[in-house]
Structure formats: structure tokens, C-alpha cells
């Protein structure tokens, strides 16, 4: 079955540590996205990538970094510079400009 | 920039009641409109979509009509079930506002609780 996988589902880190969230898709989609979801705020775009080896900042990129070395993979690193990293992180992909986004199951990150 | 406004939740309904969740939007160009659903602890799933004015999207008994004149895309269902309890997000995709890439603007979500 095609889809998007995110791992792990729950992640706990100490403040000051970097952490990398995994996102893999086997839908052969060109575009991939990372969103952050906080209660009552909907989804906010962190980074997006339209093709391999290229990515762009979204609305709240500060304190985050990404890479896109393979079409299937778009990992997100939450760095120690992110002031409030505890949140639910969602990865998505889409085929191209005119198609809807498909979402992974999410990773809930808790930093203490 | 583009924006999506949804009615505040939570919305609590009895089983078999009629559901309406209001959604209005502002957009630079001619957006595509979507409703996504999120069950507890999960990612978002596309529920339905409409790509041009007067299109009606439908799925699993839910419907929404793209109304350009009122810039609205209200979600409706004639008879809700307990299993419909979830958070519903209205969203739009407007290439004119994003330099050609598929940026999606989401509303803040409306939580629906259906009680037996």
C-alpha cells in the first residue's frame, strides 16, 4: 500500500538537544511538506520541498532544518534554537501543483 | 495573503442530527477548496474537494459546494454518527498566492463531538 510513514509516533527529548523526525513516502510524489500543529492554531508550514535537493522555508522555519537527498525522504531536524518545540508534527506530500496533500500519521514531540 | 475562517468549535450534536460547519475564504486567484478530517492522534485525511465555482464535493455522506459569490465552502451532512466525531479543517490551495507551488492554507479546525 502506498502512503506516508512518520516515525516515531511519540518522541521525548531534553531541552538543548537536537532531534530528527523521519518522513518517508512511497507515493512517487515530487512535493513534500512539514507542518506543526498546536491546539487551536491549525497547521503552520515549516518547510516544503518541490524536488530533490531543493527546499524552501515556510511560515515558521526558525529553529528547524530539513534535507531532501532522496525523493522518498524529507527528514526534519528540530534544533535547540527552536524556543517552543513541543508540538504535533505532520509530514505531507503531493503529486504536483494541482493535487491535494496526503498526510502521514504525525509525530508528537515533547521536550522537557 | 490567503486566509480561511471556520466556525469556532466544539460542535456537539446528537446522533442523526444535521451538521453544518461554516467555512469562508479570501484568495488572490481561483483556489481549490478542501475539507480534511483528523481523528484523535492521527494525521489529516482528505474528506472532499472542489476545484472550481459551483462544484460540489462529496464523500461518506458529507457535502460542500464551492460558492464563489459568497466565498464559502460550508460542510454539511444530513445525519451524523458517533464515528464522525473528529476535527474538521477547511483549506484552500491558491497557486496565485504562492508563486506557483501548491501552498495550502488551513483554517484552525472545528471539533465535532457526536453523542449517542
Amino acid at each position: 500500500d502506498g502512503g506516508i510513514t512518520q516515525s516515531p509516533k511519540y518522541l521525548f527529548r531534553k531541552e538543548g538537544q537536537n532531534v530528527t523526525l523521519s518522513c518517508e513516502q512511497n507515493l512517487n510524489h515530487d512535493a513534500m511538506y512539514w507542518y506543526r500543529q498546536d491546539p487551536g492554531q491549525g497547521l503552520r508550514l515549516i518547510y516544503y520541498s518541490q524536488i530533490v535537493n531543493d527546499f524552501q522555508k515556510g511560515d515558521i522555519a526558525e529553529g528547524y532544518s530539513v534535507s531532501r537527498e532522496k525523493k522518498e525522504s524529507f527528514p526534519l531536524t528540530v534544533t535547540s534554537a527552536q524556543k517552543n518545540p513541543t508540538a504535533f508534527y505532520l509530514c505531507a506530500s503531493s503529486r504536483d501543483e494541482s493535487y491535494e496533500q496526503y498526510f502521514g500519521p504525525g509525530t508528537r514531540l515533547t521536550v522537557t | 495573503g490567503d486566509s480561511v475562517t471556520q466556525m469556532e468549535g466544539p460542535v456537539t450534536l446528537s446522533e442523526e442530527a444535521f451538521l453544518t460547519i461554516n467555512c469562508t475564504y479570501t484568495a488572490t486567484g481561483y483556489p481549490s477548496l478542501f475539507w480534511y478530517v483528523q481523528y484523535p492522534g492521527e494525521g489529516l485525511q482528505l474528506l472532499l474537494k472542489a476545484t472550481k465555482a459551483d462544484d460540489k464535493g462529496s464523500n461518506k455522506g458529507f457535502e460542500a459546494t464551492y460558492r464563489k459569490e459568497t466565498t464559502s465552502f460550508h460542510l454539511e451532512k444530513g445525519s451524523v454518527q458517533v464515528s464522525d466525531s473528529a476535527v474538521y479543517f477547511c483549506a484552500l490551495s491558491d497557486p496565485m498566492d504562492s508563486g506557483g507551488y501548491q501552498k495550502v492554507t488551513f483554517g484552525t479546525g472545528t471539533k465535532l463531538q457526536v453523542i449517542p
Side-chain angles (χ1 to χ4, degrees), chain A residues 9 33 35 37 42 45 48 50 59 88 90 94 96-97 99-101 103-105, chain B residues 34 36 38 41-44 46 49 89 93 95 100-104 106-108:
Chain A
K9 190 165 179 65
Y33 313 81
Y35 293 93
Q37 185 177 24
L45 182 66
Y48 66 96
Q50 292 180 272
D59 301 320
F88 189 50
L90 288 161
S94 66
D96 63 26
E97 180 176 310
Y99 288 87
E100 65 266 20
Q101 294 185 3
F103 284 81
Chain B
F34 309 90
Y36 285 86
Q38 184 179 34
E42 297 183 10
L44 277 67
L46 180 68
K49 68 177 181 181
F89 291 90
S93 175
Y101 91 93
Q102 194 211 14
K103 177 182 178 180
V104 179
F106 290 87
T108 54

Side-chain angles (χ1 to χ4, degrees), chain A residues 11-84:
Chain A
L11 192 52
F12 298 88
R13 281 293 183 269
K14 297 285 190 188
E15 197 172 315
Q17 293 179 333
N18 291 355
V19 58
T20 297
L21 282 60
S22 167
C23 177
E24 303 278 333
Q25 55 99 356
N26 61 2
L27 299 166
N28 200 33
H29 285 173
D30 288 313
M32 297 187 73
Y33 313 81
W34 274 105
Y35 293 93
R36 171 183 170 134
Q37 185 177 24
D38 296 283
Q41 292 195 43
L43 276 70
R44 293 183 289 170
L45 182 66
I46 304 172
Y47 267 97
Y48 66 96
S49 169
Q50 292 180 272
I51 55 171
V52 175
N53 293 323
D54 184 60
F55 48 83
Q56 306 294 330
K57 293 181 179 179
D59 301 320
I60 56 164
E62 185 174 349
Y64 300 97
S65 65
V66 293
S67 63
R68 186 84 188 277
E69 297 176 3
K70 298 186 301 182
K71 187 175 186 177
E72 302 80 17
S73 179
F74 191 41
L76 173 74
T77 297
V78 184
T79 74
S80 57
Q82 168 50 233
K83 290 182 172 47
N84 186 19

